[in-house]
Amino acid sequence: MARQADERAAAPRASAAPLRRPGPALLGGTRILAAAGECSVEALRPGDRVVTRCRGMAVVRAVHRVRLAPGAAVVRIPAGALGRGRPERDVDLLPSQPVVLRDWRARALFGTAEARVAAARLVDGRVIRLAPGDGAAAFAVVLDVGLVLMGEGLELVSAAPDAVSAPGR
């Protein structure tokens, strides 16, 4: 336990490495389910453990701050728009953020029992909408592979190591 605390203290807060391609990154303030309980995505550090749907706990390898264009659009999903407690509160996601659907929506919209879809594909213009972003930073949570994190009552896909450029590239 003390070793993990020492590793966290020595770990950098977040690098500013750019994404190689648009992909999983969560806006600041998004709450993620971690071993220590819920925490905001920007509070995660390398070495922390997060709850994943398929593999139980996974170790955070890196957290990269993602530069967003000023006024970049977000997908606004109201509390309960995807079912009871999904999401738990109003949440904004980047349009490219993959969300896992595992209910009638996956079957009706995509013809499968489970679908990983970019948040932008959920926009219906009535309930789930595109909205101007408020300038919040985004953070790519990097695990060993892209796994499904639990965030705000939604299943959200994490970044994989190949999605982020090393600093200086």
Side-chain angles (χ1 to χ4, degrees), residues 17-162:
L19 288 180
R20 286 189 183 152
R21 61 186 184 276
L26 301 170
L27 294 172
T30 303
R31 297 177 306 191
I32 300 298
L33 188 56
E38 279 191 331
C39 68
S40 63
V41 66
E42 63 269 26
L44 290 173
R45 303 286 178 267
D48 284 349
R49 295 180 317 138
V50 293
V51 176
T52 68
R53 192 182 97 215
C54 299
R55 294 196 184 167
M57 295 291 176
V59 176
V60 173
R61 297 299 175 201
V63 179
H64 297 286
R65 185 181 186 106
V66 178
R67 291 179 228 128
L68 300 177
V74 297
V75 175
R76 184 150 298 144
I77 305 175
L82 297 175
R84 175 174 268 164
R86 299 190 68 230
E88 295 167 344
R89 63 182 182 138
D90 292 356
V91 65
D92 289 345
L93 298 175
L94 295 180
S96 60
Q97 173 61 49
V99 177
V100 179
L101 300 178
R102 294 188 302 129
D103 61 5
W104 65 267
R105 290 166 189 82
R107 288 185 293 284
L109 299 173
F110 304 103
T112 183
E114 177 179 305
R116 294 180 181 202
V117 299
R121 294 190 63 195
L122 300 175
V123 172
D124 61 13
R126 244 189 47 220
V127 176
I128 300 174
R129 301 172 183 239
L130 277 178
D134 64 3
F139 298 85
V141 178
V142 180
L143 306 177
D144 287 329
V145 295
L147 295 173
V148 178
L149 301 170
M150 305 309 294
E152 302 290 355
L154 296 174
E155 296 178 1
L156 304 169
V157 179
S158 73
D162 66 346

